[in-house]
Amino acid sequence: MRIGDAAAAAGTTPRTLRFYEERGLLSPPPRTATGQRRYGPDDVARVRVIRELLALGLTVEDLRGIADRIQLLVENPQLRCADGDPAARGTGVVARRLAAIDAEIDRLTGLRTRLARQTGRT
């Protein structure tokens, strides 16, 4: 399928597919004789997994570090990051992202407490 069809099937835009390709999250697809990108169902599935991981709070940079492991989630959506191997690559990315989220929650909680105290609201 062409880029527009693949993007629509994955719930995104052609620009996003090109961006993922530029960042190494999506392999460059084969091209037609006229130079158009050709995507298959596996590419669409991979983009869906990438979008799910981004929606969970991982960043494009996080995913670049584990790009070779994304295919494992495409092939087995039930797979967890540390299934069978607690030292598996990818668990560090998740741990770092969770720590960053926890730090942001702490920062915002402190900010809320200070603002509530300053304005007399609890």
Side-chain angles (χ1 to χ4, degrees):
M1 67 188 87
R2 294 188 307 193
I3 193 168
D5 298 330
T12 191
T13 65
R15 183 176 182 185
T16 299
L17 295 187
R18 289 188 290 271
F19 175 77
Y20 292 165
E21 184 182 333
E22 290 169 6
R23 296 297 187 266
L25 301 180
L26 192 59
S27 296
R31 294 185 179 249
T32 65
T34 59
Q36 293 181 329
R37 291 170 168 88
R38 300 297 294 176
Y39 294 92
D42 286 343
D43 298 310
V44 172
R46 184 176 179 94
V47 172
R48 287 182 180 149
V49 167
I50 291 167
R51 290 176 46 82
E52 288 174 18
L53 293 171
L54 292 172
L56 287 171
L58 296 174
T59 66
V60 170
E61 286 305 310
D62 291 335
L63 297 183
R64 283 183 73 182
I66 58 167
D68 58 322
R69 298 184 56 84
I70 293 172
Q71 191 59 33
L72 296 173
L73 291 172
V74 172
E75 294 166 2
N76 184 358
Q78 305 306 321
L79 187 66
R80 297 171 87 73
C81 291
D83 273 357
D85 183 3
R89 225 170 111 214
T91 56
V93 169
V94 172
R96 283 191 303 275
R97 185 55 47 208
L98 286 171
I101 291 169
D102 288 341
E104 183 66 4
I105 289 169
D106 290 344
R107 185 188 74 78
L108 290 171
T109 301
L111 182 63
R112 187 205 182 283
T113 300
R114 289 192 314 274
L115 180 60
R117 203 174 292 137
Q118 283 287 356
T119 59
R121 298 179 185 191
T122 46

